[in-house]
Amino acid sequence: MATTTPQPKEAASGVRKDTQLSEKELLYVQSRGKERSMSYSPSEGPHEDAGTNMDDSAHVPERFVSVEPSFTLTALDSVPPEANIADHDVHLLHKAHHIDPFSVLGAHCVKIGGQDHIVVRAWVKDARELKIRAMPGSDFVLSSSNQEVPMEQRADWLFQKVFKASSGGGTKGTKQSLAECQLIYELTAKYHGDSSEKAYPLRDAYNFGTCLDTGDLQFFQSGSCWHVDNLLGSHLMDVNDATGVRFAVWAPNAVFVSVVGDWNGWDGRAH
């Protein structure tokens, strides 16, 4: 009479029942199983109704709306140490290894001597000269009658400028805090290797932030987003009178991501 040997079965934690593990090893394997489970389980949060936003269009965050300026910006002659970007950040930008370039590039509020200031940092491939001006719809207007202001070069590709912010100045805006405000700006650039001395207008990608709506991100995190194709990948968008492409990718284990193409010389440091 033929007999069969019983086969071991998998335990819920992924540990074979016939495997002899020490208590410490068992706790480790069980904890790793919980980590894997958490990585793939929808988180608690808002859930989107089925069939919403089915028009295959990328959503523009509500913060991008036209306003009357609430503050006047006066350019400082130099960049104070409190507003200067750290050498470590400069090194990571040049290596294309910065984990969060939006945290150091673009416009940011800083306190200098207890007073409110705005520092703008621009990262432009092969630029040798940059100027900046505020755009219509910004919460700020420049005290220079909004004429272009030269930026200071900090390193290759990196320029910065600091402005003192003051309320009033005959503007019509109603916002009281710099934290509520957005500086919408335009750059003009002259480039190395261009003998024409022409200044080219440029909208800074880091002026727009991530362009992903907080509500959409919450739906995505909760596992109930019905229009992931409208969040991830590349999408043409019109934001603050600028037409561009928003790119987003889901890469949980990535430390940094670059977007390259013929428009930036296939150089991962540029974006």
Side-chain angles (χ1 to χ4, degrees):
M1 181 176 177
T3 60
T4 58
T5 303
Q7 297 297 314
K9 297 180 179 180
E10 294 288 331
S13 63
V15 182
R16 295 165 66 100
K17 288 184 176 180
D18 62 343
T19 303
Q20 299 298 319
L21 296 176
S22 67
E23 181 179 359
K24 182 177 180 180
E25 291 172 329
L26 182 60
L27 288 174
Y28 171 77
V29 173
Q30 289 175 336
S31 67
R32 292 295 294 170
K34 290 179 180 178
E35 289 178 8
R36 288 195 294 269
S37 175
M38 290 175 62
S39 298
Y40 293 95
S41 298
S43 65
E44 294 296 329
H47 289 262
E48 187 172 38
D49 295 332
T52 58
N53 194 19
M54 299 299 291
D55 58 354
D56 193 29
S57 61
H59 178 236
V60 178
E62 293 181 359
R63 68 178 183 274
F64 296 119
V65 294
S66 297
V67 296
E68 292 289 343
S70 297
F71 292 89
T72 298
L73 297 180
T74 303
L76 301 189
D77 293 333
S78 60
V79 177
E82 302 95 317
N84 204 359
I85 186 173
D87 291 338
H88 178 66
D89 288 312
V90 176
H91 173 74
L92 292 177
L93 288 171
H94 279 117
K95 296 285 287 185
H97 286 182
H98 203 294
I99 194 172
D100 185 12
F102 284 97
S103 67
V104 294
L105 300 177
H108 298 274
C109 300
V110 293
K111 286 282 188 180
I112 301 176
Q115 295 182 321
D116 292 323
H117 290 71
I118 297 291
V119 58
V120 180
R121 303 190 187 100
W123 179 255
V124 181
K125 175 181 169 66
D126 296 332
R128 63 178 174 85
E129 179 182 310
L130 280 187
K131 294 182 179 181
I132 183 174
R133 73 179 183 92
M135 292 286 290
S138 176
D139 290 306
F140 300 90
V141 64
L142 301 187
S143 61
S144 59
S145 299
N146 211 32
Q147 297 298 309
E148 293 179 329
V149 175
M151 301 183 72
E152 300 175 38
Q153 185 164 9
R154 171 68 169 80
D156 288 344
W157 300 16
L158 180 61
F159 294 77
Q160 54 187 4
K161 193 64 179 178
V162 178
F163 300 88
K164 181 180 178 181
S166 58
S167 59
T171 58
K172 303 177 182 179
T174 59
K175 296 182 180 179
Q176 303 298 317
S177 170
L178 286 185
E180 304 176 69
C181 298
Q182 181 189 24
L183 172 59
I184 305 172
Y185 57 85
E186 180 183 63
L187 305 173
T188 55
K190 293 183 179 180
Y191 295 94
H192 290 290
D194 183 3
S195 59
S196 69
E197 292 296 316
K198 182 178 178 180
Y200 298 86
L202 171 69
R203 295 300 297 272
D204 184 10
Y206 294 100
N207 188 208
F208 301 101
T210 60
C211 288
L212 288 172
D213 185 75
T214 302
D216 287 334
L217 291 176
Q218 290 175 340
F219 286 139
F220 180 82
Q221 187 179 18
S222 70
S224 68
C225 184
W226 291 85
H227 57 283
V228 176
D229 58 320
N230 290 341
L231 297 181
L232 303 183
S234 58
H235 293 273
L236 286 170
M237 302 186 73
D238 291 309
V239 180
N240 292 339
D241 294 326
T243 299
V245 178
R246 185 195 71 195
F247 178 82
V249 63
W250 171 245
N253 295 320
V255 178
F256 38 81
V257 175
S258 294
V259 185
V260 298
D262 55 4
W263 38 272
N264 64 6
W266 302 95
D267 193 331
R269 298 172 297 169
H271 298 89

